[in-house]
Amino acid sequence: MLHQTTDMKWIDGSPCLPSKVTSDEKVDELRATCARLAEASTASIFPGSQPVSLSRSNMGDIASKQFLVCEKTDGVRFLLQVCGREAYFVDRKYEFYPAPLDSQVLERLENTLVDGELVLDDVPGEGSRTTFLIFDAIAVKGRFVGDLSLSDRLRAVRGEVMPPFGATGRIAVGTDFEFTVGLKHMYRKQDVGLVLSAVLPALFHENDGLIFTRDDEPYKIGTCDFILKWKPLHLNSVDFLLEVDFRKTASEKGGVLEERYCMLKCGNSGQMMSFGYIHIDPAMQATFLKTYSSRPFIAECVYDKEWFTLTPPPEAGAPWDSWNLVPGGGWRYLRPRPDKKMPNNIHTVNNVVDSIKANIVEKDLTDIFARVE
């Protein structure tokens, strides 16, 4: 669905950025620059941090160690890379999209790499607008800051990255790619109750939980077990690879071969492994088949206690009419994830499943962390 804003257009929850860089030589050059700024050991992987799910076993870490808390924005993750008088949004697939910064900003932010996400704000009296919300920094004006504390990294953003954007933060005014640059606000972990009760309801954009980040740890590339994400149970999600299966509609004479999206797969040591099945209603099946032409795609799914689990019979090749819909909960399709190239790996999936089973609710957070001084 197209979402027309006062600046950048959005379709199906993703911003319509300028065309990505397709030259292999240029991509290699940009990845080498990104790796250099991040002081990464390789230029072959996206140099961003990835949080893990909050669970009963790691809640104690937040209570005993130095954490900050912020809202978990329901946006699209990008690094913003400025180098060689050029700027690019870098997505999790390690693809590069030109970011239309003016020449003065480019000059003042040369050799900068910050972490953030593009979000769709709905501002009363102004309408919709796109904001690049910065929540961390890796390099600022040629200085590697990834080894500093989170507070110091954010202080560098506030003092050195934000001023070139001016008081309004507006970028590329009058173009199809106009956006605003902002800095995400962090709170003390003791203020989690305030964040839940007052901050989240006042946001101009969608959110899907909280992020707890160690303040006294450096920026870490890859899976980071001192960045913890908490989502309400109904929003705890997994990014699966959703594939079709081919079966006859019925075993009796006259049954025809029919394809249906139903197989969930996740990553495991660089390979795809089957995780289970998902029930997709007929209308959504028709939409998927028309949109993806039987090709696999990354689908964000949530576990819904009111949904069903699609269960095949033990016989190999059993027709569709012999499959069962078992009530009592199951994975339910939420949305596509065109920003992701790979599904979550089995370790991440198991963490999310453990988080769902733990059923950590808002009261658990306020009861534990409100007492921390």
Side-chain angles (χ1 to χ4, degrees):
M1 180 180 69
L2 172 67
H3 192 115
Q4 178 68 56
T5 72
T6 55
D7 41 41
M8 192 181 297
K9 298 181 179 67
W10 288 65
I11 296 179
D12 293 333
S14 296
C16 299
L17 295 170
S19 298
K20 69 180 180 183
V21 176
T22 56
S23 164
D24 290 341
E25 182 178 359
K26 184 64 175 179
V27 169
D28 288 344
E29 174 192 325
L30 291 172
R31 288 180 177 177
T33 298
C34 195
R36 174 178 60 81
L37 293 174
E39 295 195 355
S41 59
T42 175
S44 62
I45 61 171
F46 174 71
S49 291
Q50 304 294 342
V52 300
S53 295
L54 181 64
S55 65
R56 297 286 177 183
S57 62
N58 58 28
M59 281 180 69
D61 288 342
I62 301 179
S64 63
K65 297 175 182 176
Q66 298 179 41
F67 275 86
L68 298 177
V69 62
C70 66
E71 52 105 356
K72 185 179 182 300
T73 312
D74 192 13
V76 182
R77 168 83 175 281
F78 290 97
L79 302 178
L80 177 61
Q81 172 178 318
V82 182
C83 187
R85 302 297 179 89
E86 297 177 329
Y88 295 90
F89 287 118
V90 189
D91 69 10
R92 283 183 287 198
K93 293 186 286 187
Y94 218 180
E95 296 177 334
F96 294 79
Y97 298 81
L101 307 188
D102 67 42
S103 58
Q104 290 186 345
V105 173
L106 291 173
E107 182 177 358
R108 294 176 64 183
L109 293 182
E110 178 71 5
N111 287 314
T112 291
L113 185 65
V114 294
D115 203 347
E117 52 201 324
L118 283 171
V119 301
L120 187 61
D121 283 326
D122 188 8
V123 184
E126 296 183 25
S128 297
R129 73 181 184 199
T130 302
T131 300
F132 181 65
L133 203 54
I134 300 172
F135 54 72
D136 212 330
I138 305 171
V140 174
K141 297 183 177 181
R143 179 169 63 100
F144 179 69
V145 298
D147 55 352
L148 302 179
S149 69
L150 176 60
S151 291
D152 285 341
R153 299 195 302 268
L154 294 175
R155 192 172 291 114
V157 174
R158 189 177 296 108
E160 300 182 64
V161 176
M162 295 303 297
F165 294 113
T168 65
R170 299 298 280 175
I171 298 298
V173 177
T175 75
D176 290 336
F177 309 110
E178 183 178 340
F179 61 97
T180 299
V181 177
L183 178 61
K184 182 179 284 192
H185 192 82
M186 301 284 171
Y187 300 84
R188 303 180 310 160
K189 62 185 179 183
Q190 298 96 312
D191 297 325
V192 64
L194 171 70
V195 177
L196 289 167
S197 63
V199 175
L200 298 190
L203 293 172
F204 293 145
H205 50 258
E206 295 294 325
N207 72 89
D208 56 354
L210 301 174
I211 295 286
F212 295 91
T213 305
R214 279 283 291 272
D215 187 27
D216 57 341
E217 291 284 355
Y219 190 95
K220 180 183 176 184
I221 296 172
T223 301
C224 182
D225 43 7
F226 49 80
I227 303 178
L228 307 174
K229 62 180 179 181
W230 171 82
K231 291 185 177 184
L233 183 61
H234 69 285
L235 293 177
N236 245 318
S237 62
V238 170
D239 296 324
F240 287 112
L241 184 70
L242 182 55
E243 290 189 349
V244 297
D245 196 1
F246 293 83
R247 304 288 177 110
K248 279 192 172 183
T249 54
S251 54
E252 294 84 4
K253 186 177 180 180
V256 296
L257 195 65
E258 183 177 277
E259 54 188 348
R260 297 182 186 179
Y261 280 95
C262 66
M263 295 193 296
L264 298 176
K265 293 189 175 182
C266 60
N268 185 20
S269 301
Q271 304 295 320
M272 292 296 106
M273 66 171 284
S274 296
F275 185 80
Y277 297 91
I278 183 172
H279 169 57
I280 306 291
D281 64 49
M284 190 67 73
Q285 285 283 357
T287 299
F288 288 168
L289 290 169
K290 180 179 179 181
T291 303
Y292 300 105
S293 303
S294 304
R295 297 186 306 272
F297 68 97
I298 306 296
E300 184 176 356
C301 302
V302 295
Y303 192 84
D304 186 342
K305 294 189 294 184
E306 305 300 321
W307 199 238
F308 308 90
T309 294
L310 183 65
T311 305
E315 300 82 14
W320 290 121
D321 67 350
S322 64
W323 288 48
N324 297 311
L325 278 181
V326 181
W331 293 102
R332 180 171 58 82
Y333 171 79
L334 184 63
R335 59 180 175 176
R337 293 304 303 264
D339 59 313
K340 299 197 73 173
K341 184 182 294 184
M342 298 291 291
N344 291 142
N345 62 45
I346 186 61
H347 177 70
T348 300
V349 175
N350 287 336
N351 282 342
V352 173
V353 171
D354 288 344
S355 181
I356 292 170
K357 292 178 180 177
N359 193 24
I360 299 171
V361 297
E362 292 184 6
K363 189 174 186 303
D364 293 317
L365 300 177
T366 55
D367 284 352
I368 293 175
F369 305 130
R371 296 194 297 268
V372 177
E373 296 297 341

